[in-house]
Amino acid sequence: MKRLFALVPAALIAIAGCGETCSTAATPVNDVTNGCSIIAASQAATISLRLCPACADTAPTCTGEVRPNNEIHLDSVVQQCQNNTGCATACSISPVTCTLDQPLTAGVTYNVLYTTASGAGQTSVTAQAGGPASCTL
């Protein structure tokens, strides 16, 4: 009986180590090149970003928030389910789509803000009637 009680703590420790905890974390945008400069006004629009995730990052998502002063904030996040520091950043996730939370105003140029590996990034797009409903930065 004493042996059984001695084995219980070891079994509990082994079981506790089996689960994987995931957390949400910001992930940087790949260098924006050949991005779009015109996007649809007065209708739903999306902006896609090419991300630079770590090899342990999965399930990318993005939200696009239109803010005062003609700014669009793109918030790209991934699920980090393991800490794998031995691998390099690969920029291998397909573009993630950020749906804007409200239509844009025609004729207005918006500053698009996002996170890069070196800090904050910025580009601009102009909302135009009849413009494309989506673009990739």
Side-chain angles (χ1 to χ4, degrees), residues 37-53:
S37 59
I38 296 174
I39 194 163
S42 305
Q43 68 181 50
T46 61
I47 298 175
S48 295
L49 300 172
R50 291 179 287 267
L51 303 179
C52 284

Side-chain angles (χ1 to χ4, degrees), residues 1-76:
M1 187 64 140
K2 288 183 182 180
R3 285 187 204 169
L4 178 61
F5 287 126
L7 294 175
V8 170
L12 290 175
I13 291 171
I15 291 170
C18 290
E20 185 172 43
T21 303
C22 296
S23 61
T24 301
T27 191
V29 173
N30 191 11
D31 188 28
V32 174
T33 56
N34 301 322
C36 57
S37 59
I38 296 174
I39 194 163
S42 305
Q43 68 181 50
T46 61
I47 298 175
S48 295
L49 300 172
R50 291 179 287 267
L51 303 179
C52 284
C55 61
D57 297 345
T58 61
T61 61
C62 183
T63 57
E65 183 180 1
V66 181
R67 295 188 178 173
N69 300 322
N70 302 329
E71 290 183 348
I72 299 172
H73 288 244
L74 301 178
D75 183 25
S76 56

